[in-house]
Amino acid sequence: MGLPLQAHDVVLISGGPALRSFEKFKKASHDKYWGNFIDSALTRAAELKKEQPREDQIVWLVFRPSYTSRSSEDQQDYLKIIEERGAMVGLTPIYFDNKDQLFTLLRRDGSRDKPKISRLEYFGHSNKKCWMFDYSNRVDGGALEPLVVHVDDLEKISGSSFTPKAECVSYGCHSGEEFSQRWRMVVGRPMVGAVGKTDYSDGGMPKLSNGKEGSWVY
Amino acid sequence: MGLLIPIVLVLISPSLGWAPPLPLRTSPTTSQTETPPPASEEEPITATDEEIRKPLEEKVARATLPAAHTPAKHGETDGESWVAQRTMVEDYCGWGWIKKEKESWRQARWIALEGTREVCPLPHTYLPRPEDDKNYQYRFYGSFAPYRAYEPQADVWVDVFILKGFMSLGPAKEEIRRSPPAQASSGVNRFAERGANVR
């Protein structure tokens, strides 16, 4: 009788949507649909459930403040909808309100309570320098410092929180142009990211935008 | 002669462009309504897909009348104040320039503007479009935030002003022709020559 396999966590992170009051009149208008980063993460969760070892657990982290403010704007209870959609694939969202809370949630020691991370995937707004959880939500066209994971913040994420063969993916725009490389250097695990923009408008998993010579890179 | 006129009219009438004769009952006819629509080869959208992807109606509350205008005074308008001028830069995060009363516009700071819910929204939300108060001036009440905002197009950090109240000062005498900040958000990658953060 062998020892039970060590369980790991698969972490999916959903950033928040922009407010339409900021975006409505722009040429490149973001987030007409509020749930791009929710639906894509849940689509991926359903895929991963078929692939991953049974003992591993999917942990779904959702940036709450942007959904709260978008709820006020659209007069819909999006947090309730998020929880209902999560339940359809057997997931309960774990909310975080700023990047410090995210860093705490990512701090793992391999114990039963804090298993190491075997996979991490991000769905949300980004550019080559950072993940922007609240893009165009509290300020027009930008994101507030406590709600941005900038490349200079990556030293707050320890590589020892991940398994040696952990895989990471950022499905945000332009992550493959610098963020991925800095992640690999600082966190010590490879991260796939996009060169160019990513497009969530067709629903499900994001894809590289048409018309640009984009690619997925490490 | 009087009898000739109607006879001539009858003879030349086809060349006057009257409507062509109606088709006979036996003529083949086609009817749009009788043609069945071609069967779609695409798979029908399931109720679940429809429900998940259906975009919601825009519910942004914004003035729509041409006569809409920013109120002369709104929110908490006491305490320390700044003079601010709305300036719009294509694809650049931020609201415009802000300075103290006695400072020149050369000393002004570029800001991203953050409203305070249920106290003071941003002034341009009273207008049909965000650019409708371009080059207008305001007296702002509030404070600088302890945090900055990230401008993703130019990769810079900009100051954030938290607005508690404002007074409209009307159109500015001239546009501020000064570029907003453009320094990089991060310095040299100090991890480039160091090992990964595995500790």
Side-chain angles (χ1 to χ4, degrees), chain A residues 20-21 25 33 39 74 78 127 129-130 138 141-143 145 150 152 155 157-160 182 185-186 201, chain B residues 52-53 56 58-60 62 93 114 117 128 130 147-150 152 155 185-186 189-191 196-197 199:
Chain A
R20 292 301 298 159
S21 50
F25 297 94
Y33 173 60
D39 291 357
D74 290 350
Y78 288 138
N127 75 344
K129 291 279 188 181
C130 50
R138 275 173 64 180
E145 195 173 11
H150 189 271
D152 288 348
E155 59 187 289
I157 300 174
S158 172
S160 63
R182 293 282 284 264
M185 282 184 223
V186 179
S201 62
Chain B
I52 288 174
R53 291 304 306 166
L56 293 167
E58 297 263 16
K59 289 183 180 173
V60 176
R62 186 182 278 279
C93 153
E114 187 179 355
R117 191 177 293 179
Y147 44 79
R148 301 171 293 176
Y150 181 69
D155 180 32
S185 68
S186 61
N189 177 11
R190 63 186 184 280
F191 289 93
N197 183 28
R199 59 177 184 266

Side-chain angles (χ1 to χ4, degrees), chain B residues 27-180:
Chain B
S27 301
T29 55
T30 55
S31 167
Q32 293 287 333
T33 54
E34 288 172 4
T35 309
S40 172
E41 293 178 0
E42 294 175 7
E43 288 186 12
I45 297 170
T46 63
T48 312
D49 290 341
E50 177 75 10
E51 183 191 1
I52 288 174
R53 291 304 306 166
K54 190 176 177 182
L56 293 167
E57 185 188 348
E58 297 263 16
K59 289 183 180 173
V60 176
R62 186 182 278 279
T64 53
L65 297 171
H69 61 279
T70 315
K73 185 177 172 182
H74 193 85
E76 297 169 6
T77 52
D78 49 0
E80 196 177 12
S81 70
W82 285 260
V83 178
Q85 183 163 327
R86 174 79 159 140
T87 305
M88 301 191 78
V89 179
E90 183 78 17
D91 284 338
Y92 195 95
C93 153
W95 181 90
W97 296 99
I98 188 169
K99 69 179 185 74
K100 296 297 287 183
E101 182 82 52
K102 291 181 180 176
E103 290 176 335
S104 73
W105 284 110
R106 293 173 65 87
Q107 295 170 284
R109 295 161 74 176
W110 179 266
I111 54 160
L113 192 60
E114 187 179 355
T116 41
R117 191 177 293 179
E118 294 169 6
V119 176
C120 188
L122 307 191
H124 62 72
T125 54
Y126 291 98
L127 302 168
R129 291 171 303 169
E131 64 266 32
D132 286 347
D133 66 347
K134 185 181 175 185
N135 295 325
Y136 272 63
Q137 288 190 348
Y138 299 90
R139 184 173 298 283
F140 275 178
Y141 298 84
S143 58
F144 280 91
Y147 44 79
R148 301 171 293 176
Y150 181 69
E151 200 299 300
Q153 307 294 334
D155 180 32
V156 298
W157 296 105
V158 298
D159 293 323
V160 177
F161 189 85
I162 301 173
L163 189 66
K164 293 281 174 59
F166 67 84
M167 290 170 67
S168 298
L169 300 178
K173 288 179 183 170
E174 58 186 331
E175 189 175 347
I176 299 174
R177 298 184 184 279
R178 187 180 151 197
S179 298

